[in-house]
Amino acid sequence: MSFSKLVEKVKSGIAFYKGLAKDTEGASGIEYAIIAAMVAVVLAGFSTGVQTAITATFNTIQAAL
């Protein structure tokens, strides 16, 4: 997954969760905690991929210089 696609996914996720936070029909703190935990797990899963992509980008720039 490219970095720009990852950024777009994160942006759309943020927009989704902002809308969820504004929705007050039957929502409780526990539900929001579960959602936050799921987001944390997903971000932890992508952290290695993002790190690899950023390292490759900086290595390309370094080689070009």
Side-chain angles (χ1 to χ4, degrees), residues 3-47:
F3 186 71
S4 60
K5 286 183 182 179
L6 179 63
V7 169
E8 288 302 317
K9 279 188 170 257
V10 170
K11 282 183 181 180
S12 66
I14 289 171
F16 173 74
Y17 291 115
K18 279 185 178 180
L20 249 166
K22 290 180 183 179
D23 184 19
T24 58
E25 290 184 18
S28 68
I30 294 173
E31 291 170 343
Y32 290 125
I34 292 170
I35 291 170
M38 289 188 299
V39 169
V41 168
V42 169
L43 288 176
F46 280 123
S47 66

